[in-house]
Amino acid sequence: MGTHIQEFVIHDYKGLHELKLSGLNSINILTGDNNSGKTSVLEILSTLDNPQNTGSWVLCSRMRNVNPRSRFYFNGFLNMFPIDSDTKTISYDYKDSKGKINKVALHAELEETQISEKEMYKLDGLRRIKSSKSEDEVIDTVCMYLSTYLNGNKINKDKIFDFQTVINKFISKHKSFVRTTYISPVDHAAGMLFLDDILSNSEMYSELIHVLQEFDKNILSVNALKSESSPYSAEYMILTQNHKKALPLNAYGDGMKKTLLLLSAAVRSQNGILLLDEFETAIHTSAMHSVFTWLLKSALKLNVQVFMTSHSKEAIEKVLKADDELQDYINLYTLYDFEGKNYVRLMNCREAVNAMENLGLELR
């Protein structure tokens, strides 16, 4: 069963300080008030994939969904570091599946410097218009020198200038620590899907169709086909009993898209970690039970450790009561921010259900 990390301690990251998630289970629900740090926890967990690769920290910078013309990575990275500290360091510890504690840190130093106009254009991936100047103009800039450490040893160094809207560090030859997949509340609307693995797995495919029939009982199949609107590239098409031709996935609502994304992300995350931010977004309450049950049972089958955030009482309850077989694998963590300090309340699934039903305790 997927428990790739047993413990996670965030020492310093944005507004989080000494936040400890202990006794991690295969399925971990994070809840709490707004600004209690739920999304921040998922962001920093995502760097477990490859912290020695600068691109792995881009999610933490929250630049992923910013318009490219306004995407200044320097500002995004700068905002990752604790505001109230003179030392710009992000650090966390995690205990892996073998019980070994690993310490990861990202340190930054700023320096005012100068760079040639030619080098500036090159770093930003732009082609400079031919200039009549005999010499390159020198540009004043600020450089952020980044150093990544693992257990006290420097494993990567990089730099970002304050004008950069491009980072060419997304591909790394380094082996992943733990493979991670992060799904935001809006990724389904952007068309993100990982269906290829499901379409080539007969067992998973059959189960997927069964879940999708909760949305439309007439659904027969999902295939990657060329359509009249997209004759040169394949798109996902839905074949149903009541239509002569397959319909593009875009003909369906957000609930169908989000379900496909969740289920395909679980398969993609095999032997790794799946991070779901506001996992219930776009899923109608009538479909929550079947979708969440299939998702979590599949995660256990595929050796996937799940971290999911929500502030929806109904969605949390649906997961806690999804299936008796799942209860031993579910923990609920409630995050609190009180007078600038971070606190966590841990309950296992049965404790949470009992507290909710018999004690009237608010779990969020």
Side-chain angles (χ1 to χ4, degrees), residues 25 27 300 317 319-331 347-351 353-354 357:
N25 214 329
I27 301 161
L300 292 180
E317 183 176 342
V319 171
L320 294 175
K321 298 180 178 181
D323 192 292
D324 290 342
E325 295 178 7
L326 292 170
Q327 290 197 338
D328 288 337
Y329 304 102
I330 300 175
N331 280 359
M347 288 188 287
N348 63 42
C349 184
R350 289 185 171 82
E351 289 172 337
V353 171
N354 179 62
E357 292 184 341

Side-chain angles (χ1 to χ4, degrees), residues 75 143 211 214 254 305:
N75 296 335
C143 182
V211 174
E214 292 286 330
D254 283 347
Q305 188 172 20

